[in-house]
Amino acid sequence: MPDSRSISAAFPGRPVPADLAVFDVALDPEGPVFSAGPDESVLDAALRQGVPLPYGCRNGACGACRARILDGKVHFPDEAELRGLTERETRAGWTLLCQARASSDLRIASLAEGAGPAVRTLPARVASRTRLAHDVMELRLELPPTERLQYRAGQYVDILLRDGRRRAFSLANCPADDAHLVLHIRHVPGGAFSGQVFETLGERALLRLQGPLGSFHLRTDSDRPAVFLAGGTGFAPIKAIIENALLAPLRREMHLYWGVRTERDLYLPDLPREWANAHSRLHFVPVLSEPDPGWTGRTGLVHEAILADFPDLAGHEVYASGPPPMVSAAREIFPELGLDLEHLHFDSFDYAYETGHDG
């Protein structure tokens, strides 16, 4: 594509046709600069030129590619989906790089923490299936003997189905324990893959996966108290993050709130209690929305328990993982309590979307 500057130099005073314009996109601070045309997404332009940026669904639903525009303007195609942004984030200058097209030179603050591990497509065999609860299955996958998947705790993989669809599942084990890849799969009625896991998938079955994906991981350059908000199997990536953090001396406060319907839905109830007993800086609060008779713990919606305990979230980081309504509530309400949007990280399990989580 011709450079708009060369066209302007050759024909001074003549406007540059939009379909020939090329704009510079700079990642702040001190990141690489790449070019982007007005007819391609900023994400596509970056990946085309070998600039690694975080992304997930690539259809505007998950929010993994969100970034804040510091200078410049973007536009969107008529069919663009922006489900992965809240109105507050849009007003604050955030955009989704998988949907945004450059209208000028851009300077953006990406949420990427370094390049991260390379995305790969690999075969994997089912090593074991273990039922953790009435509707949650632990699936352990083994890669070929000569392979290991490098990933950040909190990231996910896509299972590539034979009909071309894909289903996303968070990795529940930390990278230091990567002999197997562990997934916590909730049985979704009519789920294209979760149904197979619960009904027909046998040990040694061969699957294909792609990953690691997503930008949900602990920011290690921060010492802010971390508040983890997990809903259902949203516990899986947070489990990996916490286990990874516990490998080093724990200097920051960590508060884990795990919300489920009933007590039986706490499918690994003893594990977070063991963490809390062993580490005075780690605190665990289970929350039931439909409490069982005799339950003496916290009740209601899990994000409301955080609101009650943290009326001021300024100076904190929040990591939210689980059902879209829970994540959306956190993204709408927590900034009103002083939480900086740059310190709100999330992984929304969008079951309904073709590229979303299936369990």
Side-chain angles (χ1 to χ4, degrees):
M1 183 181 290
D3 191 298
S4 62
R5 293 165 184 76
S6 64
I7 297 174
S8 297
F11 302 96
R14 185 176 300 179
V16 179
D19 60 350
L20 295 181
V22 174
F23 304 109
D24 287 337
V25 180
L27 301 183
D28 192 74
E30 301 180 357
V33 178
F34 59 95
S35 61
D39 57 349
E40 63 178 339
S41 73
V42 175
L43 176 64
D44 285 344
L47 298 180
R48 174 172 57 80
Q49 295 163 79
V51 178
L53 291 178
Y55 67 91
C57 66
R58 298 183 74 163
N59 65 12
C62 72
C65 67
R66 68 173 188 157
R68 186 162 51 90
I69 302 174
L70 302 176
D71 290 305
K73 297 181 178 180
V74 297
H75 65 279
F76 302 93
D78 293 339
E79 70 277 8
E81 294 281 356
L82 298 176
R83 296 188 297 265
L85 279 183
T86 65
E87 291 185 8
R88 180 188 296 271
E89 291 166 340
T90 301
R91 292 195 302 269
W94 294 75
T95 192
L96 297 178
L97 299 184
C98 72
Q99 301 294 303
R101 273 68 168 159
S103 299
S104 68
D105 289 344
L106 298 174
R107 185 167 64 93
I108 61 177
S110 173
L111 290 185
E113 187 180 281
V119 177
R120 306 170 64 197
T121 301
L122 296 167
R125 288 195 180 275
V126 176
S128 66
R129 297 184 310 149
T130 302
R131 190 180 289 267
L132 301 179
H134 65 288
D135 64 346
V136 177
M137 187 79 75
E138 178 190 85
L139 190 66
R140 300 178 70 88
L141 303 177
E142 60 182 17
L143 299 177
T146 58
E147 299 286 358
R148 282 291 188 271
L149 182 70
Q150 294 184 343
Y151 61 95
R152 286 172 169 157
Q155 290 188 294
Y156 67 91
V157 297
D158 275 351
I159 300 295
L160 307 179
L161 305 184
R162 292 185 178 180
D163 60 4
R165 291 180 293 172
R166 55 178 63 205
R167 288 295 181 266
F169 297 95
S170 297
L171 294 162
N173 55 314
C174 75
D177 180 24
D178 66 347
H180 295 91
L181 301 179
V182 180
L183 312 178
H184 293 171
I185 299 179
R186 186 174 74 86
H187 192 192
V188 178
F193 181 69
S194 66
Q196 295 180 37
V197 170
F198 276 77
E199 297 164 11
T200 62
L201 192 66
E203 292 190 10
R204 309 303 299 166
L206 184 63
L207 303 172
R208 290 175 65 242
L209 59 84
Q210 186 177 79
L213 299 169
S215 57
F216 189 68
H217 59 86
L218 187 68
R219 271 48 181 183
T220 56
D221 57 351
S222 172
D223 59 359
R224 291 168 173 251
V227 180
F228 296 99
L229 168 61
T233 50
F235 174 70
I238 289 176
K239 170 183 176 292
I241 288 174
I242 292 177
E243 288 181 333
N244 197 63
L246 293 180
L247 294 177
L250 186 58
R251 298 183 178 89
R252 64 199 294 190
E253 294 281 339
M254 292 187 173
H255 303 264
L256 168 59
Y257 289 74
W258 187 6
V260 295
R261 288 191 178 90
T262 65
E263 191 170 5
R264 71 171 183 169
D265 297 315
L266 294 168
Y267 56 85
L268 287 174
D270 295 332
L271 181 61
R273 294 188 178 112
E274 292 172 2
W275 296 337
N277 289 335
H279 302 274
S280 61
R281 290 181 178 269
L282 195 153
H283 314 277
F284 172 50
V285 179
V287 183
L288 304 188
S289 61
E290 300 174 8
D292 307 85
W295 172 259
T296 59
R298 302 289 286 275
T299 62
L301 299 179
V302 63
H303 75 276
E304 293 177 346
I306 294 177
L307 295 178
D309 293 350
F310 294 89
D312 183 1
L313 283 170
H316 291 73
E317 284 188 333
V318 172
Y319 295 82
S321 176
M326 183 202 75
V327 174
S328 295
R331 294 171 67 188
E332 289 288 351
I333 299 172
F334 288 175
E336 297 179 0
L337 303 180
L339 180 67
D340 191 321
L341 286 172
E342 293 192 12
H343 296 291
L344 172 58
H345 313 286
F346 58 88
D347 185 9
S348 182
F349 285 19
D350 298 296
Y351 305 105
Y353 302 130
E354 192 65 17
T355 55
H357 287 73
D358 189 28

